[in-house]
Amino acid sequence: MAPLYTIIFPLEGDKDVSQVLLGLKKRGLGDGLWNGFGGKVEAGETIAACAHRELEYVGVIYITCSNDVEYTIFAYTARELTGVLCESDEMRPQWFGVDELPYELAHTEAKLWWPTMLSGAAFTARFVFDGDDLVEHCVEHASQSQLEQLQLEIVEDHNSRQTIS
């Protein structure tokens, strides 16, 4: 069963995004790469609870690897932030201008879907890897209602598989 994840991209700027808060991963999957903030949806936890209700849901990303590992990631953006940025043992946060995003130090597929997310468009994306090589990809615009329906279907399927296991 493909685990469910959330990823959150804090943004600055009104309608036009001027900056994106990324975190430099310091350990585990993606060590040394810049990405949004997020994590795995735990058993009994809703996707919304994992990503916090104040975040804007913008996309669904599917990743399949050659070793049959699959990931489903729900992408969110946040525009109103409070508090102080703090480095943790897992991530070092840093603001980047949208024209200065460190794509060369991010996951391979980032350059394919981050621009769609930053444009404000709702989307779905699918990436297939053979080892470290990206062999297939598709990023498509979607309506908010399509995303909400897709999320319901994915969560229902995920929950039914957990019940069977």
Side-chain angles (χ1 to χ4, degrees), residues 33-47:
L33 299 177
W34 292 96
N35 206 353
F37 303 86
K40 184 177 179 182
V41 178
E42 301 297 333
E45 181 182 40
T46 66
I47 292 169

Side-chain angles (χ1 to χ4, degrees), residues 47 58 73 86 99 106-107 132 137 148 158 161:
I47 292 169
V58 293
I73 305 167
C86 296
D99 295 329
H107 289 281
D132 290 338
H137 73 276
E148 290 167 3
H158 182 77
R161 291 180 190 209

